[in-house]
Amino acid sequence: MSPRINQRVIVPRTLTGTRFDQIAAELFPDYSRSRLKSWINSGELVVNSRKAKPNSKLSGGELLTLDAEPEQSEQWCAEDIDLDIVFEDQCLMVVNKPVGLVVHPAAGNWSGTLMNGLLFHRPELAHIPRAGIVHRLDKDTSGLMVVSLTLEAQLSLVEQLQERSVARTYHALVHGVPNRQGNVDEPIGRHPAQRTKMAVRGAGAKEARTHYQLLDSYQDFSLMQLKLETGRTHQIRVHMAHMGFPLVGDQVYGRKSTKRELERLPLAGSFARQALHAKALGLRHPESNQTMSWEIDLPKDMDDLLTYLRSSG
């Protein structure tokens, strides 16, 4: 018999005045809105141990408790997956996610994910929403991620992300040579025709800001440093493509290499994944309130490509 879902989370003050069903969708993103609404209506998802209507406005600070029977797709299994742990204490864990590792189980990837590995390494994470995962990286993006190990730490990290006080710095290789530095302030929403993609658009889009700096250039390619102010899905990939400087190897938002690029720099032209790496991470420790930061080297494939570009330039 499958274990019941038993999760608790405190409503951040930043969501004061928001509807219960909307808050539930924000804090329990692993489940569909319709599923969450049915749990609210049935009393399996409650506010401060009491049943509430989906349209009830919450004040922030309430305890949401989810005690429900899982569907088949919600039964995540612990798996012995090697994790590159950069830092770990009683509150949080920082991991260096490798290229190819999916963060969260979904259609086509029900096992072998970071979440499965976290549940094996820390079985108590089964009682924390999303097994403590508070932000994500795409499958083919490498680098640093923070995971909360307690409900209190999760609340703190979610609030820091919402306050935009978490420092996230990426390195990327792009086609072309952008200006030395600047900002991209363009809203991002679901692509109107291709629902698996995101796009810069107006109606229904969410504000998105990326700060960029040119670190080095190699005629047809550039090494960029990018800092996220917001954290929209595929934000860096969408913004850089919108500017006309798509990431090298991006199969979704990129472009095919030109004949000149392929002839002069075949390794760059045939790079198999988006050349994007979450290089540095900074935040306030949830318990001590101390400012902490971590930095990780580029993965081998990007480092090899960078060495190749430098030697060819």
Side-chain angles (χ1 to χ4, degrees):
M1 182 175 178
S2 302
R4 290 178 65 84
I5 300 170
N6 194 332
Q7 298 178 351
R8 298 178 302 148
V9 64
I10 298 171
V11 179
R13 296 291 180 185
T14 52
L15 295 178
T16 297
T18 306
R19 288 168 51 117
F20 179 21
D21 53 359
Q22 294 173 339
I23 290 175
E26 178 87 11
L27 300 182
F28 298 98
D30 298 338
Y31 313 110
S32 68
R33 288 177 180 267
S34 60
R35 184 72 172 157
L36 289 167
K37 189 171 182 179
S38 71
W39 283 334
I40 291 172
N41 289 330
S42 67
E44 293 171 284
L45 178 54
V46 296
V47 181
N48 292 335
S49 301
R50 295 184 178 183
K51 189 174 179 180
K53 294 181 179 180
N55 63 355
S56 299
K57 299 288 182 68
L58 303 188
S59 302
E62 295 93 343
L63 174 66
L64 303 189
T65 303
L66 174 59
D67 183 10
E69 284 292 338
E71 293 181 328
Q72 183 62 37
S73 63
E74 293 159 357
Q75 299 165 17
W76 315 131
C77 298
E79 296 179 50
D80 188 2
I81 296 171
D82 187 31
L83 301 178
D84 183 1
I85 300 173
V86 177
F87 174 86
E88 183 177 15
D89 67 5
Q90 73 280 7
C91 290
L92 56 83
M93 179 194 308
V94 176
V95 299
N96 179 25
K97 189 191 86 65
V99 173
L101 181 64
V102 175
V103 170
H104 186 276
N109 292 289
W110 295 121
S111 63
T113 71
L114 175 62
M115 176 179 279
N116 299 117
L118 289 170
L119 290 170
F120 182 90
H121 182 72
R122 287 275 194 149
E124 66 270 23
L125 289 176
H127 303 292
I128 298 179
R130 304 178 300 284
I133 294 170
V134 293
H135 67 120
R136 306 185 187 191
L137 294 176
D138 297 331
K139 175 183 176 182
D140 289 329
T141 298
S142 56
L144 296 173
M145 288 183 57
V146 63
V147 178
S148 55
L149 302 180
T150 66
L151 285 170
E152 293 76 16
Q154 185 177 57
L155 174 60
S156 172
L157 293 172
V158 167
E159 287 184 336
Q160 288 182 58
L161 285 164
Q162 292 173 338
E163 294 167 355
R164 301 172 184 173
S165 60
V166 176
R168 290 170 288 172
T169 303
Y170 294 74
H171 279 192
L173 284 159
V174 304
H175 290 272
V177 183
N179 295 330
R180 297 299 303 180
Q181 61 183 15
N183 306 310
V184 187
D185 190 353
E186 297 286 353
I188 291 176
R190 190 68 60 182
H191 193 286
Q194 298 170 276
R195 304 304 293 171
T196 58
K197 293 178 62 175
M198 307 301 287
V200 168
R201 54 179 309 185
K206 295 182 178 180
E207 64 173 341
R209 281 187 289 278
T210 304
H211 307 277
Y212 66 86
Q213 180 181 350
L214 177 66
L215 297 179
D216 210 347
S217 60
Y218 319 93
Q219 296 188 37
D220 300 316
F221 303 93
S222 297
L223 175 65
M224 306 294 297
Q225 177 173 283
L226 304 116
K227 294 185 177 181
L228 293 180
E229 185 173 329
T230 56
R232 307 306 175 200
T233 301
H234 301 170
Q235 179 172 319
I236 288 174
R237 299 165 64 190
V238 172
H239 272 171
M240 295 310 293
H242 178 73
M243 286 177 62
F245 305 103
L247 270 61
V248 170
D250 195 329
Q251 304 299 310
V252 178
Y253 303 102
R255 62 166 173 80
K256 293 183 178 179
S257 295
T258 64
K259 182 179 180 180
R260 175 173 179 264
E261 289 172 345
L262 286 171
E263 288 176 348
R264 195 175 72 82
L265 296 169
L267 180 60
S270 61
F271 199 70
R273 56 102 176 176
Q274 67 261 14
L276 182 63
H277 176 66
K279 185 171 178 58
L281 176 70
L283 50 82
R284 297 191 317 275
H285 190 276
E287 190 172 87
S288 69
N289 208 35
Q290 177 184 356
T291 298
M292 305 186 72
S293 61
W294 301 267
E295 187 168 332
I296 201 78
D297 291 337
L298 292 174
K300 186 177 186 305
D301 62 346
M302 278 186 69
D303 189 54
D304 287 348
L305 177 55
L306 193 56
T307 299
Y308 173 75
L309 289 173
R310 286 170 176 157
S311 65
S312 302

